[in-house]
Amino acid sequence: MSVYLDHNATTPVDRRVFEVMLPYLQQHYGNPSALYRRGRYARQAVETAREQVAQLVNAHPSQVVFTSGGSEANGLAIRGAIPNMYSLAVSAVEHASVLESAQAVARQGVKLGIVAVDDNGRVTESALASALTHQPQLVSVMVANNETGVVQDIAQLALLSHAHGALFHTDAVQAAGKMVLDFKSLGVDLMTLSAHKLYGPKGVGALICDSRVELTPQILGGGQEHGMRSGTENVAAIVGFGKAAELAGCELDIRQSHVSGLRSSLEQQLAQMGEVVVFAQQVQRLPNTVFLAIPGIDGETLLMELDRMNIEVSSGSACDSRKIGPSHVLLAMGVDELIARCSIRISFGRDSSEADVTALVSALKQQVETLQSASLLAWV
Ligand SMILES: Cc1ncc(COP(=O)(O)O)c(C=O)c1O
């Protein structure tokens, strides 16, 4: 089996999650909207999952709107949070599902402000303050970046946005299950989650939405999710999301200390290699994420070479892997385009081990030597 070091792209479904999902694909297949017993049984399971997801982020179950994943929840927040929106601001390092939703509403006439980040990928209060002078009605800044792992000071940014009359949405897809997340104390109005980044199934997520937000649904029909998101619920996936959220809450400390130990070990060994640049190393990052570049070695080439050696990493965001071009996150941080093109992302998970770190470091050393000796380096 290969060494999997791309947990920010997705995680395997936890065995305990899989086991609670299975009956809802087989014997408990009722439609949760049906009034007879089989339907009520499915409804009960969805509501239990709603409580479990709410608990992970200290929200109220009534604030949870299940969606088909993080992308849909982000789109719902951007398009649905403000009726007749005329102005919006999002950070430059958001996931494509936020950036492209924002660009889509901008094409329909909404004024769009892009909030700059500093060299470390952080949204500073002064950058946000200058975006707020354009009076956006909604601000969206992610808790933690999927590529760099950089964590933003969301409580401060939300406070500042509220002081200027804007609602605040945060994409917490990467943060959930990797750090403490508290919807209430962060003071945000909307928060996006996705199950498959925390050992749950793919294709299910949630938008946590404060009751004061007048959310406009984007999918209409049967009126499920209190009318906020129509469509027959994916019961098994929602049940799995609930269980994964419960486990993530219970096991947060142990998961955090495991991956941060591996990250320190990797970064110490990378430091000894010399040529490696680790992005945003000086600021708070997700404990499992290392975004690095070996100047002179193209990131895509390195990724493919590592894959040949049975090590799976990503170059930037997996969701962007079909797009050609350097990471928009690194460019927003002011990283030179040539260096940005050399980036790869390592993201550890629960089952990663010190042996994986050793395998990766030795493969990286081998790649540096091979590519150098084959004169494939464009520049060193
Ligand atoms: C920060 C962030 N937001 C949103 C998403 C999209 O989530 P989903 O894959 O559930 O649509 C991702 C997925 O990579 C992500 O990393």
Side-chain angles (χ1 to χ4, degrees):
M1 262 318 257
S2 53
V3 172
Y4 183 70
L5 295 174
D6 199 15
H7 291 82
N8 286 7
T10 197
T11 55
V13 173
D14 187 294
R15 182 186 41 79
R16 295 163 292 179
V17 169
F18 175 70
E19 277 164 12
V20 297
M21 288 175 66
L22 213 48
Y24 291 92
L25 292 166
Q26 296 176 315
Q27 63 266 42
H28 307 315
Y29 54 78
N31 186 321
S33 298
L35 298 178
Y36 44 78
R37 188 173 312 158
R38 203 183 292 270
R40 293 199 306 273
Y41 198 88
R43 164 62 49 210
Q44 187 51 53
V46 168
E47 296 316 315
T48 301
R50 200 183 302 283
E51 286 165 20
Q52 290 165 315
V53 169
Q55 194 175 350
L56 177 67
V57 297
N58 192 28
H60 192 272
S62 64
Q63 296 172 316
V64 177
V65 178
F66 285 118
T67 65
S68 67
S71 299
E72 186 193 327
N74 280 339
L76 178 57
I78 298 296
R79 291 171 181 275
I82 307 277
N84 304 316
M85 180 165 63
Y86 54 78
S87 180
L88 162 74
V90 306
S91 96
V93 295
E94 294 303 301
H95 185 260
S97 54
V98 166
L99 282 175
E100 291 186 20
S101 298
Q103 283 152 5
V105 296
R107 283 193 292 276
Q108 290 160 359
V110 172
K111 194 159 100 188
L112 172 62
I114 301 292
V115 187
V117 294
D118 66 13
D119 294 358
N120 285 311
R122 302 258 299 175
V123 172
T124 60
E125 285 190 46
S126 64
L128 180 59
S130 86
L132 286 167
T133 59
H134 299 283
Q135 297 177 323
Q137 297 154 289
L138 176 67
V139 172
S140 182
V141 179
M142 67 208 319
V143 179
N145 185 265
N146 42 304
E147 298 185 19
T148 56
V150 168
V151 174
Q152 306 290 347
D153 187 349
I154 293 300
Q156 273 308 109
L157 301 176
L159 200 65
L160 187 57
S161 301
H162 286 159
H164 287 74
L167 289 186
F168 195 92
H169 164 251
T170 193
D171 175 350
V173 164
Q174 290 295 339
K178 299 186 188 126
M179 57 184 273
V180 173
L181 262 187
D182 188 319
F183 182 74
K184 265 192 213 135
S185 68
L186 285 175
V188 300
D189 304 290
L190 301 126
M191 175 186 277
T192 293
L193 302 173
S194 176
H196 74 102
K197 311 288 185 179
L198 43 98
Y199 305 93
K202 295 170 183 58
V204 63
L207 183 64
I208 314 293
C209 184
D210 190 273
S211 56
R212 284 165 301 182
V213 178
E214 285 176 59
L215 195 64
T216 306
Q218 302 299 307
I219 301 180
L220 304 172
Q224 288 88 348
E225 296 300 292
H226 303 289
M228 292 303 117
R229 198 278 184 182
S230 285
T232 303
E233 296 88 340
N234 185 349
V235 179
I238 289 173
V239 165
F241 185 12
K243 183 68 182 175
E246 180 194 283
L247 293 170
C250 297
E251 297 175 0
L252 181 63
D253 290 349
I254 187 155
R255 291 185 192 179
Q256 273 182 331
S257 65
H258 175 64
V259 292
S260 64
L262 295 175
R263 187 180 71 174
S264 308
S265 167
L266 173 62
E267 290 189 350
Q268 274 162 24
Q269 294 178 62
L270 292 176
Q272 283 160 16
M273 278 177 68
E275 294 110 336
V276 184
V277 179
V278 176
F279 300 109
Q281 206 171 6
Q282 306 313 323
V283 295
Q284 189 194 349
R285 288 170 298 156
L286 292 172
N288 75 321
T289 307
V290 182
F291 200 30
L292 63 91
I294 305 180
I297 301 185
D298 175 68
E300 296 291 330
T301 309
L302 184 54
L303 181 154
M304 298 316 293
E305 288 301 322
L306 290 175
D307 184 39
R308 239 178 16 87
M309 299 166 90
N310 287 325
I311 299 176
E312 293 167 331
V313 303
S314 149
S315 67
S317 154
C319 312
D320 285 345
S321 64
R322 279 151 292 152
K323 295 182 187 165
I324 313 286
S327 149
H328 72 285
V329 176
L330 292 181
L331 296 184
M333 289 162 62
V335 173
D336 186 291
E337 189 177 325
L338 292 175
I339 306 279
R341 284 186 186 278
C342 301
S343 60
I344 59 165
R345 178 186 67 189
I346 315 298
S347 47
F348 293 110
R350 228 180 37 182
D351 302 324
S352 305
S353 66
E354 196 57 56
D356 295 345
V357 175
T358 308
L360 173 67
V361 171
S362 122
L364 286 176
K365 285 182 178 159
Q366 211 175 309
Q367 283 309 309
V368 171
E369 278 164 25
T370 312
L371 293 170
Q372 274 172 344
S373 61
S375 303
L376 283 175
L377 298 184
W379 69 99
V380 188

